[in-house]
Coordinates of all heavy atoms in Angstrom, one line a residue:
F804 N 89.9 98.6 46.2 CA 91.0 99.2 47.0 C 90.7 98.9 48.5 O 89.6 98.7 48.9 CB 91.0 100.7 46.9 CG 91.2 101.2 45.5 CD1 90.1 101.6 44.7 CD2 92.4 101.3 44.9 CE1 90.3 102.1 43.5 CE2 92.6 101.7 43.6 CZ 91.5 102.2 42.9
W805 N 91.7 98.9 49.2 CA 91.6 98.9 50.7 C 92.9 99.5 51.2 O 94.0 99.1 51.0 CB 91.5 97.4 51.3 CG 91.5 97.5 52.7 CD1 92.5 97.0 53.6 CD2 90.4 98.0 53.6 NE1 92.1 97.2 54.9 CE2 90.8 97.8 54.9 CE3 89.2 98.6 53.3 CZ2 90.1 98.2 56.0 CZ3 88.5 99.0 54.4 CH2 88.9 98.8 55.7
H814 N 104.4 106.9 53.0 CA 104.6 105.6 53.5 C 103.4 104.7 53.7 O 103.5 103.5 53.8 CB 105.5 105.6 54.7 CG 104.8 106.2 55.9 ND1 103.8 105.5 56.6 CD2 104.9 107.4 56.5 CE1 103.3 106.3 57.6 NE2 104.0 107.5 57.5
T815 N 102.2 105.3 53.6 CA 101.0 104.5 53.7 C 100.9 103.6 52.5 O 101.1 104.0 51.4 CB 99.8 105.3 53.9 OG1 99.8 106.0 55.2 CG2 98.5 104.5 53.8
T816 N 100.5 102.3 52.7 CA 100.3 101.4 51.6 C 98.8 101.1 51.3 O 98.0 101.0 52.3 CB 101.1 100.0 51.8 OG1 100.6 99.5 53.0 CG2 102.6 100.3 51.9
I817 N 98.4 101.0 50.0 CA 97.1 100.7 49.6 C 97.1 99.4 48.9 O 97.8 99.2 47.9 CB 96.5 101.9 48.8 CG1 96.5 103.2 49.5 CG2 95.1 101.6 48.3 CD1 97.7 104.0 49.4
N818 N 96.3 98.5 49.3 CA 96.1 97.2 48.5 C 95.2 97.4 47.4 O 94.0 97.8 47.6 CB 95.6 96.1 49.5 CG 96.6 95.7 50.5 OD1 97.8 95.6 50.3 ND2 96.2 95.5 51.8
V819 N 95.7 97.1 46.2 CA 94.9 97.3 45.0 C 94.7 95.9 44.4 O 95.7 95.2 44.1 CB 95.6 98.2 43.9 CG1 94.6 98.4 42.7 CG2 95.9 99.5 44.6
T820 N 93.4 95.5 44.3 CA 93.1 94.1 43.8 C 92.4 94.2 42.4 O 91.5 95.0 42.2 CB 92.2 93.4 44.8 OG1 92.8 93.3 46.0 CG2 91.8 92.0 44.3
A821 N 93.0 93.4 41.5 CA 92.4 93.4 40.1 C 91.9 92.0 39.9 O 92.6 91.0 39.9 CB 93.5 93.7 39.1
F839 N 99.9 97.7 36.5 CA 99.3 98.7 37.3 C 100.2 100.0 37.2 O 101.4 100.0 37.4 CB 99.4 98.3 38.8 CG 98.5 97.1 39.1 CD1 99.0 95.8 38.9 CD2 97.3 97.2 39.7 CE1 98.3 94.7 39.2 CE2 96.5 96.1 40.0 CZ 97.0 94.8 39.7
S841 N 100.0 104.5 38.0 CA 99.2 105.6 38.7 C 99.8 106.9 38.4 O 101.1 107.0 38.3 CB 99.2 105.4 40.2 OG 98.5 106.4 40.8
G844 N 101.6 108.6 43.3 CA 101.9 107.4 44.1 C 102.7 106.4 43.2 O 102.9 106.6 42.0
T845 N 103.3 105.4 43.9 CA 104.2 104.4 43.2 C 103.8 103.0 43.6 O 103.6 102.7 44.8 CB 105.6 104.7 43.6 OG1 105.9 106.0 43.4 CG2 106.6 103.7 42.9
F846 N 103.6 102.1 42.6 CA 103.4 100.7 42.9 C 104.7 100.1 43.2 O 105.7 100.3 42.5 CB 102.7 100.1 41.7 CG 101.2 100.3 41.6 CD1 100.7 101.3 40.7 CD2 100.3 99.6 42.4 CE1 99.4 101.5 40.7 CE2 99.0 99.8 42.3 CZ 98.4 100.7 41.5
Q847 N 104.7 99.2 44.2 CA 105.9 98.5 44.6 C 106.3 97.5 43.4 O 107.5 97.3 43.1 CB 105.6 97.7 45.9 CG 105.5 98.5 47.1 CD 105.4 97.7 48.4 OE1 105.3 96.5 48.3 NE2 105.3 98.4 49.5
S848 N 105.3 97.0 42.7 CA 105.6 96.2 41.5 C 104.5 96.5 40.5 O 103.3 96.5 40.8 CB 105.5 94.7 41.8 OG 105.8 93.9 40.7
S849 N 105.0 96.9 39.3 CA 104.0 97.5 38.3 C 103.4 96.4 37.5 O 102.3 96.5 36.9 CB 104.8 98.4 37.3 OG 105.1 99.6 38.1
V850 N 104.0 95.2 37.4 CA 103.5 94.1 36.7 C 103.3 92.8 37.6 O 104.3 92.5 38.2 CB 104.4 93.6 35.5 CG1 103.8 92.4 34.8 CG2 104.5 94.8 34.6
V851 N 102.1 92.4 37.8 CA 101.8 91.3 38.8 C 101.0 90.2 38.0 O 100.1 90.5 37.3 CB 101.0 91.8 39.9 CG1 100.7 90.7 40.9 CG2 101.7 93.0 40.6
A858 N 95.0 89.5 40.7 CA 96.3 90.1 40.9 C 96.3 91.1 42.0 O 95.4 92.0 42.0 CB 96.8 90.7 39.6
H859 N 97.2 91.0 43.0 CA 97.3 92.0 44.1 C 98.5 92.9 43.9 O 99.6 92.3 43.8 CB 97.4 91.2 45.4 CG 96.2 90.5 45.8 ND1 95.1 91.1 46.4 CD2 95.9 89.2 45.6 CE1 94.1 90.1 46.6 NE2 94.6 89.0 46.1
A860 N 98.4 94.2 44.0 CA 99.4 95.1 43.9 C 99.4 96.0 45.1 O 98.3 96.3 45.7 CB 99.4 95.9 42.6
V861 N 100.5 96.6 45.4 CA 100.6 97.5 46.6 C 101.0 98.9 46.1 O 102.0 99.1 45.4 CB 101.6 97.0 47.6 CG1 101.8 98.0 48.8 CG2 101.2 95.6 48.1
L862 N 100.2 99.9 46.4 CA 100.5 101.3 45.9 C 101.0 102.0 47.2 O 100.3 102.1 48.2 CB 99.2 101.9 45.4 CG 99.2 103.4 45.0 CD1 100.2 103.6 43.8 CD2 97.9 103.9 44.7
L863 N 102.1 102.7 46.9 CA 102.7 103.5 48.0 C 102.2 105.0 47.9 O 102.3 105.5 46.8 CB 104.2 103.5 47.9 CG 105.0 104.1 49.1 CD1 104.8 103.3 50.4 CD2 106.5 104.1 48.8
A864 N 101.7 105.5 49.0 CA 101.1 106.8 48.9 C 102.1 107.9 48.5 O 103.3 107.8 48.8 CB 100.5 107.2 50.2
I873 N 94.3 105.8 38.2 CA 95.0 104.5 38.2 C 94.5 103.6 37.0 O 93.3 103.5 36.8 CB 94.7 103.7 39.5 CG1 95.3 104.5 40.7 CG2 95.3 102.3 39.5 CD1 95.0 104.0 42.0
F891 N 93.9 110.8 47.7 CA 94.8 110.9 48.8 C 94.6 112.3 49.4 O 94.6 113.3 48.8 CB 96.2 110.8 48.3 CG 96.7 109.5 47.7 CD1 96.7 109.2 46.4 CD2 97.1 108.5 48.6 CE1 97.1 107.9 45.9 CE2 97.4 107.3 48.2 CZ 97.5 107.0 46.8
Q1198 N 94.0 92.4 55.7 CA 93.2 91.9 54.6 C 93.4 90.4 54.4 O 94.5 90.0 54.5 CB 93.5 92.7 53.3 CG 92.5 92.2 52.2 CD 92.7 93.1 50.9 OE1 93.6 94.0 50.8 NE2 91.9 92.8 49.9
Y1208 N 95.5 84.9 50.2 CA 96.3 86.1 50.2 C 96.0 86.8 51.5 O 94.8 86.9 52.0 CB 95.9 87.0 49.0 CG 96.5 88.4 49.1 CD1 97.8 88.7 48.6 CD2 95.8 89.5 49.7 CE1 98.3 89.9 48.8 CE2 96.4 90.7 49.7 CZ 97.7 91.0 49.3 OH 98.2 92.2 49.4
G1209 N 97.0 87.3 52.2 CA 96.9 88.1 53.4 C 97.8 89.2 53.5 O 99.0 89.1 53.0
S1210 N 97.5 90.2 54.1 CA 98.3 91.4 54.3 C 98.0 92.1 55.6 O 96.8 92.0 56.0 CB 98.3 92.4 53.1 OG 97.0 93.0 53.0
G1211 N 98.9 92.9 56.1 CA 98.6 93.6 57.3 C 99.6 94.8 57.5 O 100.7 94.7 56.9
S1212 N 99.3 95.8 58.2 CA 100.2 96.9 58.4 C 99.8 97.5 59.8 O 98.7 97.4 60.3 CB 100.0 98.0 57.4 OG 98.8 98.6 57.4
N1225 N 104.7 96.6 57.6 CA 103.7 95.9 56.7 C 104.3 94.6 56.3 O 105.5 94.4 56.1 CB 103.3 96.9 55.6 CG 104.6 97.2 54.7 OD1 105.0 96.4 53.8 ND2 105.1 98.4 54.8
A1226 N 103.3 93.7 55.9 CA 103.7 92.4 55.5 C 102.6 91.9 54.6 O 101.4 92.2 54.7 CB 103.9 91.4 56.7
A1227 N 102.9 91.0 53.7 CA 101.9 90.4 52.8 C 102.4 89.0 52.4 O 103.6 88.7 52.3 CB 101.7 91.2 51.5
H1228 N 101.5 88.1 52.2 CA 101.8 86.7 51.8 C 100.7 86.2 50.8 O 99.5 86.4 51.1 CB 101.8 85.8 53.0 CG 102.0 84.3 52.7 ND1 103.2 83.8 52.4 CD2 101.0 83.3 52.5 CE1 103.0 82.5 52.1 NE2 101.7 82.2 52.2
S1239 N 104.5 84.2 47.3 CA 105.3 85.4 47.5 C 105.1 85.9 48.9 O 104.0 85.6 49.6 CB 104.8 86.4 46.5 OG 103.5 86.9 46.9
S1241 N 106.3 89.4 51.3 CA 107.0 90.7 51.4 C 106.8 91.3 52.8 O 105.8 91.1 53.4 CB 106.5 91.7 50.3 OG 105.1 91.9 50.6
T1269 N 111.6 90.9 49.9 CA 110.6 90.3 49.1 C 111.1 89.0 48.5 O 112.2 89.0 48.0 CB 110.2 91.3 47.9 OG1 109.7 92.5 48.4 CG2 109.2 90.7 47.0
N1351 N 111.0 98.9 38.7 CA 109.8 99.3 37.9 C 110.1 99.9 36.6 O 109.3 99.9 35.7 CB 108.9 100.2 38.8 CG 108.1 99.4 39.8 OD1 107.4 98.4 39.5 ND2 108.3 99.8 41.1

Side-chain angles (χ1 to χ4, degrees):
F804 304 98
W805 176 251
H814 64 77
T815 293
T816 56
I817 299 92
N818 292 317
V819 183
T820 301
F839 297 80
S841 178
T845 306
F846 279 99
Q847 291 183 355
S848 181
S849 296
V850 178
V851 181
H859 293 278
V861 177
L862 177 63
L863 190 66
I873 297 175
F891 290 100
Q1198 183 175 7
Y1208 173 81
S1210 66
S1212 68
N1225 60 80
H1228 173 82
S1239 68
S1241 64
T1269 302
N1351 282 307

